[in-house]
Amino acid sequence: MSGPRPFANALEMLRSAGLRPTRQRLALARLLFDKADRHVTAEQLHGEAVSAAVPVSLATVYNTLHQFIGAGLLREVVVNPGRSYFDTNVSDHHHFFLEESGRLVDIPGDRIDVSNVPLPPAGTAIRRVDVIIRVERDED
Amino acid sequence: MSGPRPFANALEMLRSAGLRPTRQRLALARLLFDKADRHVTAEQLHGEAVSAAVPVSLATVYNTLHQFIGAGLLREVVVNPGRSYFDTNVSDHHHFFLEESGRLVDIPGDRIDVSNVPLPPAGTAIRRVDVIIRVERDED
DNA sequence: TCAATAGATTAGACAAATTCTAAAGAAGCG
DNA sequence: CGCTTCTTTAGAATTTGTCTAATCTATTGA
Ligand SMILES: [Mn+2]
Ligand SMILES: [Mn+2]
Ligand SMILES: [Zn+2]
Ligand SMILES: [Zn+2]
């Protein structure tokens, strides 16, 4: 269903990223990647770690999330002012955003076409295209 | 070039929105709408007002921006965590975002095609589609 | 095996953006 | 003018995220 995970285990993943496999990073990597793709906030992930009896500070959660982004293991999604989501799906894709619940739902990159894009401003090159489809509860 | 402004003056605009034309709201409306379309932060607009010797607090700037959004005179653009842009262009359009400078550049809605969009999650309806094209300085 | 060292974690202070509160001021209306 | 409602405001509070400096730990190689 979802493609094979690129890393057999968290240890190998951290090694490949050049990050020491500490207790905290191993635990966070497992929470993030051992299940299906997810969109979590830093607070949520910290809460999960604490619930799983993993001693880790919020500062380390932020440090680790940013290191994982730097290693290409995560990406950041900004849909709301004042709070970031961290996305374990790093393939080319877009999002539905359900404003009432704050949930993000993936849209595979090949399920949406963005075409006829004008040239970027002089001296700049496109780094990424983000499509956010904001949805609301339907009046039934 | 840009279509005719829907309101001859700030006073009429506020009246139509059902907002009392106070000194602060009149001044902010003129700063926002008397020139070409713009993307400003609350701090920027407050700075402009203070420079123009308009006595207004930052709290009132935020109040007014949100009232203008409620009246459909402005929209909010979120591209970065921790800071919002307020966009005086409320027509259907998208954005280039220049990360180095923090500038937003409009892309007219008819200059970009988003097609083949999947159905939104059950029980939801599309409210808005935002395309953010993130660009970076080109290596020359 | 065991220091030495570089890198990691942490508590708590700090910062930035925004919202809230409650009191004082101004607009609309008769 | 006087009453009522809406608006503004200073400053406190809140939220999200970053920084600092002290402590801890993984790695390495003698
Ligand atoms: Mn995955
Ligand atoms: Mn305009
Ligand atoms: Zn995603
Ligand atoms: Zn715009």
Side-chain angles (χ1 to χ4, degrees):
Chain A
M1 192 142 283
S2 57
R5 268 196 301 145
F7 298 99
N9 55 57
L11 188 67
E12 186 189 343
M13 183 174 101
L14 291 175
R15 289 244 165 80
S16 299
L19 296 168
R20 286 189 183 173
T22 64
R23 182 174 315 281
Q24 288 81 358
R25 290 208 273 233
L26 282 166
L28 294 176
R30 291 195 189 104
L31 287 171
L32 285 169
F33 302 111
D34 269 3
K35 39 194 92 165
D37 288 337
R38 44 196 324 220
H39 307 94
V40 284
T41 66
E43 294 271 358
Q44 273 172 27
L45 182 61
H46 182 245
E48 290 180 17
V50 167
S51 293
V54 176
V56 62
S57 70
L58 188 55
T60 293
V61 170
Y62 277 108
N63 289 342
T64 302
L65 288 170
H66 289 144
Q67 290 152 356
F68 285 5
I69 287 174
L73 300 170
L74 281 183
R75 64 185 249 197
E76 194 171 358
V77 181
V78 181
V79 286
N80 249 358
R83 166 170 268 145
S84 278
Y85 290 83
F86 297 89
D87 189 345
T88 62
N89 181 351
V90 292
S91 73
D92 173 34
H93 72 287
H94 301 291
H95 295 96
F96 287 116
F97 179 55
L98 290 67
E99 305 210 280
E100 286 102 349
S101 64
R103 282 210 317 130
L104 284 167
V105 176
D106 281 349
I107 304 171
D110 58 12
R111 283 304 322 278
I112 200 167
D113 286 337
V114 180
S115 52
N116 196 25
V117 172
L119 286 176
T124 69
I126 293 175
R127 198 174 62 72
R128 182 169 129 184
V129 177
D130 288 330
V131 179
I132 310 279
I133 304 185
R134 296 171 192 275
V135 304
E136 60 192 352
R137 217 194 332 272
D138 202 356
E139 72 295 329
D140 36 308
Chain B
M1 192 143 286
S2 56
R5 265 195 303 145
F7 298 100
N9 55 57
L11 189 66
E12 187 190 342
M13 183 174 102
L14 291 175
R15 289 244 165 80
S16 299
L19 295 168
R20 286 187 184 173
T22 64
R23 183 175 314 284
Q24 288 82 357
R25 291 207 272 233
L26 281 166
L28 294 175
R30 291 195 188 103
L31 287 171
L32 285 168
F33 302 112
D34 268 3
K35 39 193 93 164
D37 288 336
R38 45 195 324 221
H39 306 95
V40 285
T41 66
E43 293 271 358
Q44 273 171 27
L45 183 61
H46 182 244
E48 290 179 18
V50 168
S51 294
V54 176
V56 63
S57 70
L58 188 56
T60 293
V61 171
Y62 277 107
N63 289 342
T64 303
L65 288 169
H66 290 144
Q67 290 152 356
F68 285 6
I69 288 173
L73 300 169
L74 281 182
R75 64 185 248 198
E76 193 171 359
V77 181
V78 181
V79 286
N80 250 358
R83 166 170 268 147
S84 277
Y85 291 84
F86 297 88
D87 189 345
T88 63
N89 181 350
V90 292
S91 72
D92 173 34
H93 72 288
H94 301 291
H95 294 97
F96 285 117
F97 179 55
L98 289 69
E99 304 210 279
E100 286 101 350
S101 64
R103 283 210 316 129
L104 283 168
V105 176
D106 281 349
I107 305 172
D110 57 13
R111 286 301 323 278
I112 199 167
D113 286 337
V114 180
S115 52
N116 196 23
V117 172
L119 285 178
T124 69
I126 292 176
R127 199 175 62 72
R128 183 169 128 186
V129 177
D130 287 332
V131 178
I132 310 277
I133 304 184
R134 296 169 191 277
V135 303
E136 59 192 354
R137 219 193 333 273
D138 203 355
E139 73 297 331
D140 37 309

